[in-house]
Amino acid sequence: MILYRFITRHRTGKWYADLRTAQLRANAIGAGFLDPAGHFVPYRGTVLEMRRAD
């Protein structure tokens, strides 16, 4: 299983089991937002980090 989180210059998000949930929660740390069509728009400098869960 792969885990996802977003990182900004000042904050780090929690690890989530799917990308969509990480995108939905990204606004809480200022990493990005969902546009009216439901597409994720990251803010400048936002990094998506992935790792394999053991």
Side-chain angles (χ1 to χ4, degrees):
M1 173 197 284
I2 297 178
L3 300 174
Y4 304 89
R5 74 175 175 183
F6 286 99
I7 299 173
T8 68
R9 174 180 277 173
H10 301 288
R11 297 185 75 183
T12 300
K14 294 180 182 179
W15 289 103
Y16 294 100
D18 62 279
L19 180 58
R20 188 65 177 166
T21 303
Q23 291 173 336
L24 290 170
R25 305 286 189 246
N27 190 41
I29 67 163
F33 63 95
L34 295 178
D35 68 9
H39 299 108
F40 181 70
V41 180
Y43 292 126
R44 181 178 293 173
T46 296
V47 175
L48 172 62
E49 190 173 41
M50 296 178 284
R51 75 173 184 190
R52 184 172 300 276
D54 293 333

